[in-house]
Amino acid sequence: MDPIQTLPPLSSLSSSLLSFLNEKLNADEDLAQAPNRVSELQTQCRDLEQTLINLRSSLESRLLSYASFSDRIGGLFGDVNARLIDLSSLTRSCGSLSGGGEINGRKEQILGQELPALAKEVARVETVRAYAETALKLDALVGDIEDGVSAAINKNRKKNAFPQNSDEMRLLVIKALKNAEDILTSVTKTRPQWSHLVSAVDDRVDRALAILRPQAIADHRALLASLGWPPPLSALTSLDPATRKTTELPNCLFTMQGDRKHQYCENFLALCNLQELQRQRKSRQLEGQNREVALHQPLWAIEELVNPISVASQQHFSKWIEKPEFIFALVYKITRDYVDSMDELLQPLVDEAMLTGYSCREEWISAMVTSLFTYLAKEIFPTYVDQLGEESDTGARLQARISWLHLVDLMIAFDKRIHSLASQSGISISIQEDGNSKKISSLSVFCDRPDWLELWAEIELCDTLEKLKLETDNERNWTMKVPETLLLSGPEDYKSPAISSVFLRRLSLVVERCKILPTISLRSSFIKLVGVPIVHKFLDCSLSRCQEAEGLTALTDNDALIKVANSINAARYFGSVLKEWSEDVFFLEMGLDQADQLGLSFGGNGDIKELIGGSDCGIFEEDITKLENFRKEWVEKISIVVLRGFDARCRDYIKNKRQWQEKSEDGWTVSKSLVEALDYIQGKLSILEEQLNGIDFVGLWRSLAASMDRLIFNGILMSSVKFCDDGVERLGRDLEFLFGVFGAWCLRPEGFFPKVSEGLKLLKMGKKQLEDRSVGGEKWMLETGLRHLTVTEAEKIVNSRVFMI
């Protein structure tokens, strides 16, 4: 029987051994497991001995390598020292001798050839020495990194390993990584020719990091699980978002205390330090290239908080595919309830790790939103797309369209609340392209799926056009004028019918819905797919009404003129609003983005609006042009119709050539055959003045005056008639009444009838003045103020003048 061995005195045992015995031999039944404990301890001792042997072997090999380098460097320095001694002796001998061509030649050889060669050799030796020292330092640091990674893995494989030991070892590895990265950064800047050394070290470090990062993340996940993360979500899944209850989720990040809190903070900090080192490495490796991806990656520690919540949430999301409002309510509640702990607890740790450009609030919100739109892209949208593709049931497709629009409404409302939550950190996200706005928007689901954006735009457009159809079919909307208070600021009265405001209101809703989209390109595409067709629809409706009025009455009826005038007014107001919108930054950005896509470049000088407009980059530029052309075309048509009516009513007046040689009719101050034409033109212009907007009306009457000027000039003054004194007086009175019709809108109406006015001026000249005309020719015409008549026309008018003898 073996003698019973007793334990040594307690005072001779270490604290770690006492802790081990207290844990493993706490009860009598634990004595039966004593042989197993002995076997485990022996195995651990053998492992430690083997590790010690490996370390000793590694140390011996490094010492041998260092000794070899030292011997080589010592030999090089010995050679250099010998040459310096030779140089010194030669210099002394040259100094003790006086004169001699041989000595001078030797001196020149030393200074001109041997000394530069020696300096070059010294520099080469110094480079070799620096390379050797750098290589040894890096080899030692990489060896420490590899040993630390290997030791951390071996410890994590053992059941009795203490987590804090792994954290301490990981911190040592991170410190070695930082020192190695500092050396590599210095080498890259000062010794770019040592690229092979840098590449070799990077390869070994990358292999070590490929093991270290997953292990560090696994340890962080285990620590979170031990803290009770993720929080239980079952208490929230039955809440109706409409009730707006304020039940708070349990927050273990705030409740952890003591060693637990210290351990989590240390683990979080180590993970942040590791990510910062990774960022520095990528930044160095991608020097001179696009480094945005390397410089800002999602925060690993925050991702590890979000991933388990995302997995737990999706178990509930699968039940709410038909009730997506519950999904958005739950995600927003989780995001809101934990966002304060990100600022108060985790942000100081990120700042301590010197992770520049990171906000824990932003990273938390971004990760939560990313998990949401990832689920939407994988589960919700494909289901809705399948429902839209069903052709068997029209009612089902209609319901699918309604569900789609409802989902988009929820996404827009959610993004607005999320933006408000993110803005509390002081981050401006209103006009950030592909930055924060994209990361914290559920509508980012459309960034990678332009086909879904087109589908949404199609549904949105169909829904808008269906609502507009009821408005366009209502005749009252085309006749009832918009109150001036609702029009654009300024003195101009557009006299626009209500239909223009109806279309603009719908278009404004489309613009507001697309403003929440995270990128300029998405907003531009949505406006082109939905907003531009609405403008086209408005233009088509206006054109259709004008063509209908023209086809029924050829615009000879007053009601038809009023109908066309209302359409012109609507187009004028609509185009003015679009121009005003185009000056907004929202649309200017779209124009610049479109210019970038077309490869246009703008200089530093000049107005942005002028540059965009000049390059046809405005989103509504083409539509504004179409509206202007529409107005000009139909104003011109109205002018032509009114001119034809005037021509028809004064045809007898123009064809009567004898009246200009007869006396005036008794009791008539104007020719009887012209009265009806003057009454007609005054009546039409009065109606158009009342119905047409001021700008287009001015253009109309000026165009009409110019056409009437040509009509009367060619029909009377150029028709080879003869004018006596009474005829000239009659023509003067008739033209005075004609000018009076237009006198209500200008001070000198005769200025808008230049040919007729100057022709009358020629006819009124005396016989002697006309006989002297040949003296000056064109010069005489300019001196007498005849600037709109040619010499031929003037000759013909003068020849038609008959003077009584």
Side-chain angles (χ1 to χ4, degrees):
M1 185 175 181
D2 296 333
I4 299 176
Q5 298 181 0
T6 59
L7 293 174
L10 292 178
S11 58
S12 63
L13 299 178
S14 64
S15 58
S16 59
L17 183 57
L18 286 174
S19 176
F20 175 80
L21 293 175
N22 289 333
E23 181 181 356
K24 303 301 181 182
L25 302 176
N26 194 26
D28 294 340
E29 55 269 18
D30 293 337
L31 294 175
Q33 301 295 328
N36 294 335
R37 304 301 180 197
V38 172
S39 177
E40 291 178 5
L41 290 174
Q42 289 175 346
T43 301
Q44 292 183 20
C45 289
R46 284 195 297 271
D47 291 342
L48 291 174
E49 290 174 357
Q50 184 61 42
T51 302
L52 184 61
I53 291 171
N54 294 336
L55 292 173
R56 186 179 293 112
S57 175
S58 176
L59 179 61
E60 289 176 356
S61 64
R62 292 183 184 181
L63 288 174
L64 289 173
S65 177
Y66 180 74
S68 175
F69 276 115
S70 297
D71 292 342
R72 288 176 56 193
I73 293 172
L76 292 172
F77 273 111
D79 186 33
V80 171
N81 189 38
R83 294 194 180 196
L84 289 173
I85 292 173
D86 292 342
L87 179 63
S88 177
S89 62
L90 286 172
T91 304
R92 283 196 300 271
S93 62
C94 291
S96 61
L97 298 176
S98 60
E102 183 179 354
I103 296 174
N104 290 336
R106 178 60 177 159
K107 183 176 180 181
E108 291 178 359
Q109 181 182 6
I110 293 172
L111 296 177
Q113 299 178 8
E114 294 185 6
L115 191 58
L118 181 60
K120 184 177 181 181
E121 182 67 17
V122 171
R124 188 183 71 81
V125 171
E126 176 62 23
T127 301
V128 172
R129 183 192 65 78
Y131 185 90
E133 288 184 356
T134 303
L136 284 173
K137 288 181 182 178
L138 288 173
D139 184 63
L141 289 171
V142 174
D144 292 341
I145 294 169
E146 293 172 340
D147 292 341
V149 171
S150 177
I153 293 175
N154 291 332
K155 281 186 172 293
N156 282 321
R157 287 176 180 172
K158 301 180 184 301
K159 297 180 180 179
N160 298 326
F162 293 100
Q164 57 269 27
N165 293 338
S166 298
D167 292 340
E168 292 172 2
M169 195 164 296
R170 190 176 297 117
L171 289 175
L172 293 176
V173 172
I174 291 173
K175 184 177 180 181
L177 279 167
K178 187 178 185 310
N179 292 334
E181 183 59 31
D182 291 341
I183 294 175
L184 289 175
T185 301
S186 176
V187 168
T188 302
K189 293 179 179 179
T190 60
R191 306 279 188 175
Q193 67 273 21
W194 294 357
S195 58
H196 292 293
L197 174 63
V198 175
S199 177
V201 174
D202 276 341
D203 288 341
R204 292 178 64 184
V205 172
D206 286 339
R207 287 195 295 270
L209 285 175
I211 300 172
L212 182 62
R213 178 188 171 184
Q215 188 61 52
I217 291 178
D219 290 346
H220 191 73
R221 290 175 182 172
L223 179 58
L224 284 174
S226 69
L227 293 173
W229 190 271
L233 306 179
S234 57
L236 293 174
T237 57
S238 60
L239 292 180
D240 186 341
T243 61
R244 300 185 180 274
K245 293 184 179 180
T246 58
T247 304
E248 294 291 337
L249 285 170
N251 192 341
C252 62
L253 298 179
F254 273 150
T255 57
M256 59 182 178
Q257 299 291 334
D259 292 340
R260 284 288 190 181
K261 183 175 182 179
H262 176 74
Q263 185 179 355
Y264 175 77
C265 292
E266 290 294 325
N267 195 282
F268 185 94
L269 187 60
L271 205 57
C272 290
N273 285 325
L274 187 61
Q275 183 169 1
E276 173 61 15
L277 280 170
Q278 186 82 320
R279 187 197 67 82
Q280 292 177 5
R281 285 176 54 75
K282 292 298 180 183
S283 177
R284 170 179 57 80
Q285 293 169 353
L286 297 176
E287 184 71 35
Q289 304 178 31
N290 185 5
R291 300 185 295 169
E292 291 301 320
V293 176
L295 294 180
H296 195 97
Q297 291 288 321
L299 205 58
W300 298 345
I302 299 297
E303 283 188 325
E304 295 308 314
L305 288 173
V306 172
N307 288 339
I309 287 184
S310 177
V311 173
S313 299
Q314 290 180 16
Q315 299 176 0
H316 303 290
F317 292 170
S318 60
K319 307 172 187 176
W320 296 336
I321 293 180
E322 300 299 329
K323 293 287 185 180
E325 57 268 22
F326 293 163
I327 296 176
F328 289 97
L330 180 59
V331 173
Y332 177 75
K333 180 167 182 57
I334 296 173
T335 306
R336 182 198 61 193
D337 288 351
Y338 284 91
V339 73
D340 291 337
S341 60
M342 302 298 147
D343 283 340
E344 299 176 18
L345 178 64
L346 302 184
Q347 187 61 45
L349 299 177
V350 172
D351 296 339
E352 184 179 347
M354 301 184 71
L355 272 170
T356 57
Y358 279 97
S359 164
C360 284
R361 169 183 285 267
E362 178 188 335
E363 293 297 320
W364 166 257
I365 295 174
S366 172
M368 288 296 298
V369 174
T370 300
S371 68
L372 171 62
F373 73 69
T374 301
Y375 182 80
L376 293 176
K378 289 183 178 180
E379 303 294 338
I380 303 295
F381 273 96
T383 302
Y384 281 31
V385 171
D386 292 341
Q387 292 175 356
L388 288 170
E390 295 177 358
E391 299 181 358
S392 57
D393 188 356
T394 305
R397 294 193 65 188
L398 178 60
Q399 184 59 42
R401 287 174 175 268
I402 295 174
S403 299
W404 184 287
L405 292 177
H406 177 58
L407 176 63
V408 172
D409 289 339
L410 291 173
M411 295 171 72
I412 293 174
F414 174 81
D415 284 357
K416 288 181 179 179
R417 299 176 73 188
I418 285 294
H419 286 185
S420 176
L421 200 62
S423 64
Q424 297 176 16
S425 64
I427 301 171
S428 176
I429 55 175
S430 58
I431 316 178
Q432 290 194 9
E433 172 68 9
D434 296 329
N436 295 317
S437 184
K438 184 175 180 180
K439 293 193 302 179
I440 62 174
S441 173
S442 63
L443 293 168
S444 296
V445 70
F446 295 112
C447 292
D448 299 325
R449 293 302 300 264
D451 54 326
W452 289 354
L453 181 71
E454 293 176 3
L455 189 55
W456 171 28
E458 178 186 347
I459 296 172
E460 194 79 41
L461 179 60
C462 289
D463 180 68
T464 302
L465 293 182
E466 286 176 3
K467 294 174 180 176
L468 284 172
K469 188 177 185 304
L470 298 175
E471 302 286 356
T472 53
D473 292 342
N474 185 357
E475 186 64 26
R476 189 167 178 268
N477 286 330
W478 290 95
T479 56
M480 184 181 66
K481 298 293 189 297
V482 179
E484 293 186 19
T485 55
L486 300 179
L487 298 176
L488 294 174
S489 58
E492 182 59 40
D493 181 9
Y494 290 90
K495 299 181 180 179
S496 176
I499 193 65
S500 56
S501 292
V502 171
F503 270 85
L504 285 170
R505 186 164 56 250
R506 290 294 174 185
L507 183 59
S508 177
L509 290 175
V510 169
V511 172
E512 287 300 320
R513 284 172 74 77
C514 85
K515 279 185 177 181
I516 200 69
L517 284 169
T519 67
I520 295 176
S521 58
L522 283 180
R523 298 169 207 152
S524 179
S525 298
F526 190 80
I527 289 293
K528 290 177 182 177
L529 292 170
V530 185
V532 172
I534 292 176
V535 181
H536 292 171
K537 181 64 176 178
F538 171 79
L539 188 58
D540 290 342
C541 290
S542 300
L543 180 61
S544 176
R545 290 179 62 83
C546 292
Q547 290 174 339
E548 179 184 355
E550 183 183 31
L552 290 175
T553 66
L555 302 184
T556 57
D557 183 69
N558 288 341
D559 291 338
L561 281 181
I562 293 173
K563 195 172 188 178
V564 173
N566 284 332
S567 296
I568 293 173
N569 294 341
R572 164 70 71 176
Y573 176 55
F574 202 94
S576 300
V577 174
L578 291 184
K579 284 183 179 179
E580 186 176 87
W581 285 3
S582 298
E583 297 175 356
D584 189 82
V585 174
F586 179 75
F587 289 100
L588 290 177
E589 281 186 327
M590 291 184 187
L592 291 173
D593 182 70
Q594 186 175 346
D596 292 339
Q597 294 176 6
L598 294 174
L600 300 175
S601 60
F602 297 141
N605 299 325
D607 183 70
I608 292 179
K609 179 192 168 199
E610 180 181 350
L611 288 170
I612 293 176
S615 304
D616 291 333
C617 295
I619 206 79
F620 292 121
E621 186 74 22
E622 184 178 348
D623 303 294
I624 292 172
T625 302
K626 288 180 179 179
L627 288 168
E628 290 178 350
N629 292 337
F630 166 79
R631 287 189 304 96
K632 292 176 182 177
E633 177 185 353
W634 286 94
V635 168
E636 184 65 24
K637 284 189 177 184
I638 291 177
S639 175
I640 292 172
V641 167
V642 175
L643 180 65
R644 286 175 181 170
F646 175 80
D647 182 28
R649 287 163 176 79
C650 68
R651 192 164 298 162
D652 294 339
Y653 172 77
I654 293 176
K655 289 183 176 181
N656 187 359
K657 299 181 180 181
R658 296 180 57 186
Q659 62 180 326
W660 310 115
Q661 301 176 37
E662 300 173 351
K663 291 185 178 181
S664 300
E665 303 171 47
D666 295 337
W668 289 87
T669 56
V670 63
S671 300
K672 288 191 292 184
S673 55
L674 185 62
V675 172
E676 183 182 0
L678 293 176
D679 182 65
Y680 168 82
I681 197 71
Q682 186 171 20
K684 291 297 182 181
L685 288 178
S686 297
I687 293 174
L688 290 171
E689 181 186 19
E690 181 181 354
Q691 298 297 329
L692 200 59
N693 69 85
I695 299 176
D696 287 318
F697 177 72
V698 169
L700 172 66
W701 74 255
R702 289 183 177 182
S703 172
L704 186 60
S707 299
M708 294 172 65
D709 180 51
R710 290 191 296 271
L711 174 66
I712 297 173
F713 180 78
N714 294 325
I716 299 177
L717 297 179
M718 292 287 104
S719 62
S720 301
V721 300
K722 297 298 181 179
F723 288 91
C724 65
D725 292 342
D726 290 338
V728 172
E729 184 180 354
R730 171 184 287 194
L731 179 62
R733 289 197 305 269
D734 291 345
L735 291 180
E736 185 177 352
F737 276 95
L738 177 62
F739 296 158
V741 173
F742 293 88
W745 307 295
C746 59
L747 295 176
R748 293 183 63 255
E750 59 272 15
F752 295 94
F753 295 82
K755 285 184 172 291
V756 172
S757 298
E758 291 184 0
L760 181 62
K761 183 177 181 180
L762 267 176
L763 292 175
K764 287 184 176 181
M765 287 183 181
K767 183 177 181 181
K768 184 177 181 181
Q769 188 178 5
L770 291 177
E771 287 175 350
D772 293 340
R773 71 186 186 282
S774 58
V775 176
E778 289 185 5
K779 182 179 180 182
W780 175 84
M781 291 180 63
L782 291 174
E783 289 176 352
T784 52
L786 303 176
R787 292 179 173 81
H788 297 88
L789 298 178
T790 64
V791 174
T792 303
E793 290 172 342
E795 286 286 341
K796 193 169 185 177
I797 293 173
V798 171
N799 291 335
S800 68
R801 183 73 168 91
V802 177
F803 292 97
M804 295 294 184
I805 298 175

